[in-house]
Amino acid sequence: MPDSIRIGDYVRSPVASGLDATGYAKISEFELSDFLTRWDGLHDDALQVMPERIHPTAQIHPTAIIGEDVIIGPGARVHEFSTVRKRSVLAAGVSVGFGCEVTHSFVGENTVLGHQVGIGHSIIGTDAHLSANLVIAAISLWNFDMRVPVKEIVLHGPGDEPPYRCPTSQFGGLIGDQVQTGSMITLGPGIAVGRHSAIAASVCMGSSIVPAASVVRSPSPEVIIEPRRT
């Protein structure tokens, strides 16, 4: 297990999102735990220097709910009944489908979130495609009170290597550039998926590191086809 996780090994910095004067312009240079520690302050600083929080070319459906501390870049689209809130960033060209919830997350340029996708406290790379009914959870189930989480999120590797510790009780995932997923997937809390990886439908996994250019599948029950009884 690595002693550090560099965001740039998974996600590149935005280049066309109007974030040049903000800390997000150099997100790829951060070590993950350092970014998570500083994230709130970096976002608040970005709000102070952004000339406009929501770019005029962004398209937001009237039924969508956008938080007052959200940054939305050029050409981004938020479709019906979706919510984007709590210090989230949608970089240029992002598409958020029907009925999604994006909470305290950075979504990289030209990434597509399919219908009914829920992501929290996560960093998503560029040109990723997360299909319908995907959830990236951010809070460990093992908290006594999940409304007030205290359990630190860790990423476990194979064997007896020590875990990578995130200095936060809320962290969903670091999803690399050009990652593609199927539907009905649950990831996190605490997952890092390398660039150009594919995650098949119905996978449920967290607290893990997935190497770049991997395919992740979940064993399926045997399918039996037989004549219908009359």
Side-chain angles (χ1 to χ4, degrees):
M1 180 63 83
D3 294 330
S4 66
I5 293 178
R6 182 175 171 270
I7 291 178
D9 291 337
Y10 293 80
V11 170
R12 72 170 176 84
S13 295
V15 296
S17 300
L19 297 167
D20 297 359
T22 76
Y24 289 114
K26 297 183 178 180
I27 191 172
S28 64
E29 298 178 14
F30 280 94
E31 202 280 331
L32 176 60
S33 63
D34 182 41
F35 180 79
L36 295 175
T37 300
R38 300 173 58 186
W39 195 349
D40 286 352
L42 287 169
H43 190 88
D44 291 344
D45 290 345
L47 289 173
Q48 296 300 315
V49 301
M50 294 288 293
E52 47 199 0
R53 194 171 56 81
I54 301 176
H55 196 273
T57 62
Q59 301 177 43
I60 301 172
H61 193 273
T63 62
I65 299 173
I66 307 298
E68 295 181 356
D69 55 2
V70 167
I71 296 171
I72 300 181
R77 295 178 295 168
V78 182
H79 292 276
E80 297 95 323
F81 305 109
S82 288
T83 298
V84 185
R85 66 188 188 98
K86 200 175 181 182
R87 295 187 173 96
S88 288
V89 176
L90 305 182
V94 166
S95 178
V96 177
F98 176 95
C100 295
E101 180 174 344
V102 179
T103 300
H104 204 313
S105 293
F106 176 88
V107 184
E109 293 174 345
N110 301 313
T111 280
V112 175
L113 306 184
H115 302 327
Q116 296 179 324
V117 169
I119 61 175
H121 296 262
S122 295
I123 303 164
I124 314 297
T126 63
D127 298 303
H129 193 289
L130 308 185
S131 294
N133 298 106
L134 176 143
V135 173
I136 304 180
I139 300 174
S140 171
L141 179 63
W142 310 117
N143 281 282
F144 179 75
D145 184 349
M146 294 186 67
R147 297 169 299 180
V148 187
V150 295
K151 184 175 178 61
E152 183 184 41
I153 303 299
V154 299
L155 300 178
H156 295 281
D160 297 327
E161 298 91 343
Y164 178 87
R165 298 191 174 276
C166 303
T168 174
S169 60
Q170 297 184 66
F171 172 56
L174 174 60
I175 308 299
D177 301 330
Q178 296 183 306
V179 165
Q180 296 176 310
T181 75
S183 60
M184 305 297 292
I185 289 172
T186 301
L187 303 176
I191 191 167
V193 181
R195 287 184 170 99
H196 310 294
S197 291
I199 303 177
S202 303
V203 166
C204 180
M205 68 182 302
S207 191
S208 304
I209 291 181
V210 177
S214 295
V215 176
V216 181
R217 296 188 177 94
S218 180
S220 300
E222 182 182 358
V223 175
I224 299 173
I225 301 176
E226 59 185 9
R228 184 176 179 179
R229 295 179 180 179
T230 57

